Amino acid sequence: AYQHALLTALKEEADQGTSAFICTGHSLGGALAQVAAMLALQQSLAAADLPEPVKELLEGVHCITFASPMPFHMTAESSLTPQQLAKRQWALGKAGQQFDNYVNNNDVVPMLPGELDFIQTFVEGIRAKGA
C-alpha cells in the first residue's frame, strides 16, 4: 500500500519538474526518515517499469536527519547468505553516500543501537552486576 502511495506521489512531483527527493526528521522522526529513504532505494530496484524521472527520484533519495537513533541492526555476517551480504553492502554504500545524521556530541539518542531488545538487555546487564 505505501509503495503505491509513494510511487503515485513521486510521479506527480516528477511531472511538476521536481528533481530531488529528501527525507528528513528529528530524533524518532529521523529514524523513520532513514527507514523511508531505505525503502525508497529498495523500491528503485524492485520496479523495473517505472518512468525514468520517478526512478531517478527514488535512486537519488537523500536523507538528512538530526539526532536520529540508529534504526537498523547489523546482523552478523556469518548468519547471512552471499546474496544478503551483497544487498547489505549495496545498502550501506548508498546510505554512506546519501544519508547524513547531524548530532550534538553529548546527545545519547543517536548512540542508541538499532536493536529491538537493547533496553531489555541493558537493564538485565545492570541487574546482573548489582546481584
Side-chain angles (χ1 to χ4, degrees):
Y2 77 87
Q3 295 99 332
H4 178 71
L6 173 64
L7 295 176
T8 300
L10 287 178
K11 181 169 182 343
E12 290 172 5
E13 291 299 320
D15 289 346
Q16 296 295 321
T18 298
S19 61
F21 175 27
I22 300 172
C23 295
T24 189
H26 170 259
S27 195
L28 179 58
L32 294 174
Q34 290 180 44
V35 170
M38 190 57 66
L39 290 172
L41 285 169
Q42 289 177 339
Q43 189 67 34
S44 74
L45 294 175
D49 60 340
L50 291 173
E52 194 58 33
V54 174
K55 190 169 177 101
E56 288 175 8
L57 286 173
L58 288 169
E59 290 173 348
V61 64
H62 279 80
C63 185
I64 302 169
T65 59
F66 304 89
S68 169
M70 296 177 272
F72 303 108
H73 173 69
M74 292 292 285
T75 303
E77 285 189 15
S78 60
S79 63
L80 297 175
T81 66
Q83 184 181 16
Q84 290 171 322
L85 276 171
K87 286 181 179 180
R88 180 168 81 179
Q89 285 306 111
W90 175 85
L92 289 172
K94 291 297 250 182
Q97 296 169 1
Q98 296 171 221
F99 291 23
D100 292 300
N101 185 28
Y102 295 93
V103 300
N104 290 320
N105 63 343
N106 294 323
D107 189 349
V108 297
V109 171
M111 296 178 201
L112 294 175
E115 296 180 48
L116 296 177
D117 61 349
F118 167 73
I119 302 236
Q120 180 179 350
T121 303
F122 179 76
V123 170
E124 288 171 358
I126 297 292
R127 286 183 180 155
K129 287 181 182 178

